[in-house]
Amino acid sequence: MQELGIKSEKASVEKLGIKDSTAHWNLSPEKLAEIAVEKGQAERTASGAIAVDTGEFTGRSPKDRFIVKDEITEDAVWWGNINIPFDADKFDQLYDKMVDYLSGKEIYVRDAYACADPNYRTNIRVVNEYAWSNMFVYNMFLRPTEDEIKTFEHEWLVINAPGFKADPAVDGTRQHNFAILNFKKKIALVGGTGYTGEIKKGIFSALNFILPHQKNTLSMHCSANMGEQGDTAIFFGLSGTGKTTLSADPARKLIGDDEHGWSNENTVFNFEGGCYAKVIDLSEEKEPDIYNAIKEGALLENVVIKDGEVDFKNGSKTENTRVSYPIYHINNIAEPSIGKNPKNIFFLTCDAYGVLPPISKLTPGQAAFHFISGYTAKVAGTEAGITEPVTAFSACFGAPFMPLHPTKYAEMLSKKMQDAGVNVWLVNTGWSGGPYGVGSRMSLKITRGLITAALNGELNDVEYEKHQIFGLNMPKTCPGVPENVLNPKNTWADKEAYDQKANDLANAFNKNFEKFAENANEEILAAAPTAKVSA
């Protein structure tokens, strides 16, 4: 048994049940990259970043995500297709199998933490089978100092073994891969998949239970940034809607790109210490901050490389090509990753129908309705098996990671929005001029222009018109943006076809909302779209 590197004297993988292994503790990202390349698991690119293939899984596998059902979770978790119960005894059995599997191997251990606000700091110890997975953990979580590591005690433990495959008949899983949370033991198991996003989203899911349920703090699937005057903006949205891209704004300091808390002390704080950005079709011209963050220390996933250069346009392995990098690879960041009460909140949606306006201002009732609805289109590659956009409703813009009932998060957000007097905007980063296959994706330049105008107060005093079906307030003018795109119907050649699509989408919204209606007040119910013909 060898335990190498910097660690607390009390810490040992033997205490976790792992025997006869060589455990590398808290290696530098440079050393981890070097090991991954030496072992033939990674390739060095011309930028200095390394690239890996995650194997069979190039995205999350939502049907293989479980939560142990026990006295802590039984009455609090919203059980169903998203939060699938798992037996406590089966969990213990699987844990024993995983530590047996890692015994005798060369493994990589990292001490890290989540939540930039010291009041909510959560210490995490991660044990990885592969060096590059451990590098991902370095990039994505917050990094303790060397002195902190020497006295580090973990609150949560993550065991990650991509090469370990469960036996569904014996282990109680659906198939050989799994991601399981145990809130009583504070352990996350991730096995049978090399997709690193499962580690990140496992801890996010845990915080989405702990913070609202036990610490009265709202957890959010969003990005956040801060202007020169300290004004915070929050961007909600599912994968592929532009959260990471739109929060990386040269004129504003980045707080974080994906996971945040909004505390009772009126802070908005990042859970993470890095960014996990999609890189399909990435270019320096379109997204300079992300492009320039891909250098030594960054970890690319499932990209195609030719002569050391990454072909960002090539989605032959997956459309969900990714890069992780520590947040300090971005030049303009808030340090620490904490802001104050937000002044503007943006709900980002990728509308594959081309129905919703590029920007609209929401009333409090509409804000609650659209937050609970969480409409977008699942864009190719963000989940296993998705190759064409599919209409999707994901409550709170993050249902796959929310263990509690969606109305719990919606009520907390609604109260915070009203107390802070926030402007709330719905932004369509999806299609314009027709549905997917006919129209085209909204230009990033236009979306940025609309968001900048909202942040600068330039949409406060312009004239608005109401959308005939969705009742959304659409600005008639916006500085630097062509007026014809502001009302989506104007961009369609066939106006009747637009009305039909808008009607279809309205019916889809209303059908989806039926399951939330009994918990919604009159103001929220009144914000539903008015379909001219019911489905």
Side-chain angles (χ1 to χ4, degrees):
M1 184 79 189
Q2 279 190 301
E3 305 214 43
L4 311 168
I6 304 161
K7 67 178 187 68
S8 159
E9 283 182 16
K10 297 178 188 171
S12 169
V13 294
E14 276 194 301
K15 290 182 179 176
L16 308 177
I18 300 170
K19 300 179 177 67
D20 302 322
S21 68
T22 300
H24 299 280
W25 287 76
N26 298 303
L27 292 182
S28 69
E30 294 82 9
K31 186 64 182 169
L32 291 166
E34 186 185 307
I35 291 168
V37 172
E38 278 174 7
K39 288 184 180 291
Q41 296 170 348
E43 183 178 347
R44 183 80 62 180
T45 68
S47 69
I50 64 165
V52 299
D53 285 349
T54 60
E56 178 186 359
F57 294 95
T58 57
R60 288 180 299 102
S61 190
K63 292 177 182 174
D64 301 294
R65 172 188 173 278
F66 305 92
I67 296 173
V68 172
K69 194 171 192 176
D70 55 28
E71 59 269 31
I72 293 173
T73 58
E74 186 170 7
D75 297 326
V77 167
W78 191 40
W79 301 106
N81 294 335
I82 289 168
N83 299 304
I84 307 164
F86 201 79
D87 180 76
D89 291 337
K90 293 281 188 193
F91 178 91
D92 292 344
Q93 176 182 301
L94 209 44
Y95 178 93
D96 290 343
K97 282 186 173 183
M98 286 186 82
V99 295
D100 281 350
Y101 170 82
L102 291 172
S103 292
K105 287 186 168 58
E106 193 168 13
I107 58 173
Y108 306 88
V109 190
R110 171 137 257 115
D111 292 330
Y113 66 98
C115 302
D117 187 325
N119 294 326
Y120 301 95
R121 175 170 171 159
T122 304
N123 281 357
I124 303 158
R125 179 161 289 150
V126 186
V127 180
N128 298 106
E129 179 180 5
Y130 300 143
W132 53 266
S133 309
N134 199 246
M135 184 176 168
F136 174 85
V137 175
Y138 173 88
N139 285 350
M140 291 310 303
F141 292 102
L142 290 153
R143 294 160 284 276
T145 64
E146 197 169 307
D147 283 345
E148 286 174 326
I149 286 172
K150 287 173 181 171
T151 57
F152 191 92
E153 292 183 13
H154 70 274
E155 184 177 348
W156 271 80
L157 173 68
V158 181
I159 304 283
N160 168 234
F164 173 85
K165 290 180 168 47
D167 179 349
V170 176
D171 297 323
T173 56
R174 186 181 73 98
Q175 50 184 29
H176 62 268
N177 63 301
F178 54 89
I180 312 172
L181 289 176
N182 186 323
F183 284 96
K184 189 174 179 182
K185 297 199 167 178
K186 297 186 177 181
I187 297 173
L189 301 180
V190 180
T193 170
Y195 184 64
T196 55
E198 297 282 17
I199 303 170
K200 163 187 157 69
K201 291 303 186 190
I203 291 298
F204 183 41
S205 296
L207 291 169
N208 284 333
F209 180 85
I210 294 161
L211 291 179
H213 185 60
Q214 298 172 346
K215 300 191 177 180
N216 198 30
T217 284
L218 178 63
S219 54
M220 305 176 290
H221 187 217
C222 67
S223 58
N225 64 24
M226 187 164 54
E228 287 178 15
Q229 309 303 315
D231 56 303
T232 300
I234 289 175
F235 300 81
F236 283 95
L238 286 165
S239 181
T241 57
K243 272 196 327 301
T244 299
T245 302
L246 293 167
S247 57
D249 182 336
R252 298 173 64 83
K253 286 182 163 37
L254 181 70
I255 297 171
D257 83 326
D258 197 43
E259 305 170 2
H260 293 81
W262 187 352
S263 74
N264 284 341
E265 299 83 28
N266 295 327
T267 63
V268 170
F269 60 91
N270 194 353
F271 289 172
E272 302 183 293
C275 303
Y276 192 41
K278 292 186 72 151
V279 295
I280 194 73
D281 291 325
L282 181 71
S283 69
E284 187 171 14
E285 181 193 5
K286 280 197 297 188
E287 300 176 66
D289 284 344
I290 296 170
Y291 186 90
N292 291 316
I294 302 174
K295 55 189 178 183
E296 187 173 356
L299 175 69
L300 289 152
E301 295 179 0
N302 303 310
V303 295
V304 172
I305 299 164
K306 292 173 185 168
D307 301 322
E309 297 290 345
V310 179
D311 181 0
F312 289 112
K313 288 185 165 49
N314 192 322
S316 59
K317 293 178 184 177
T318 175
E319 291 288 309
N320 191 33
T321 51
R322 292 269 178 175
V323 65
S324 68
Y325 48 84
I327 198 166
Y328 58 74
H329 277 204
I330 299 281
N331 290 328
N332 201 16
I333 58 172
E335 295 184 80
S337 302
I338 302 174
K340 295 174 185 159
N341 265 353
K343 293 277 197 302
N344 290 279
I345 292 177
F346 298 91
F347 294 162
L348 306 176
T349 180
C350 170
D351 175 24
Y353 287 127
V355 165
L356 296 177
I359 195 166
S360 50
K361 193 170 188 180
L362 304 183
T363 64
Q366 287 173 333
F369 178 85
H370 283 278
F371 183 69
I372 293 169
S373 298
Y375 165 68
T376 193
K378 283 182 186 172
V379 180
T382 54
E383 287 183 16
I386 304 289
T387 53
E388 292 285 323
V390 176
T391 303
F393 293 93
S394 185
C396 314
F397 295 99
F401 326 116
M402 303 291 171
L404 305 176
H405 193 283
T407 52
K408 170 74 173 173
Y409 305 99
E411 284 164 12
M412 290 182 85
L413 180 68
S414 216
K415 182 173 187 315
K416 284 186 169 295
M417 287 191 305
Q418 287 174 12
D419 289 350
V422 185
N423 290 320
V424 187
W425 309 87
L426 181 67
V427 174
N428 175 19
T429 65
W431 273 257
S432 176
Y436 174 78
V438 176
S440 56
R441 188 85 191 249
M442 195 73 65
S443 99
L444 184 58
K445 186 180 176 186
I446 286 177
T447 302
R448 281 200 188 280
L450 292 164
I451 286 173
T452 299
L455 290 169
N456 292 343
E458 292 170 319
L459 297 182
N460 290 352
D461 301 316
V462 300
E463 194 179 343
Y464 283 79
E465 60 181 322
K466 269 200 189 316
H467 191 280
Q468 58 180 0
I469 290 176
F470 279 83
L472 301 166
N473 293 305
M474 306 178 291
K476 285 186 159 185
T477 58
C478 175
V481 174
E483 286 181 25
N484 69 308
V485 304
L486 296 172
N487 183 332
K489 190 170 179 176
N490 294 342
T491 67
W492 284 52
D494 187 336
K495 309 299 186 208
E496 281 186 22
Y498 174 83
D499 288 342
Q500 184 56 53
K501 275 288 184 200
N503 206 65
D504 291 346
L505 185 58
N507 282 320
F509 262 90
N510 292 334
K511 183 167 177 47
N512 170 71
F513 205 80
E514 286 170 5
K515 58 182 173 284
F516 305 116
E518 63 181 281
N519 293 311
N521 62 30
E522 285 303 314
E523 187 181 29
I524 297 172
L525 293 171
T530 311
K532 296 200 168 152
V533 184
S534 291

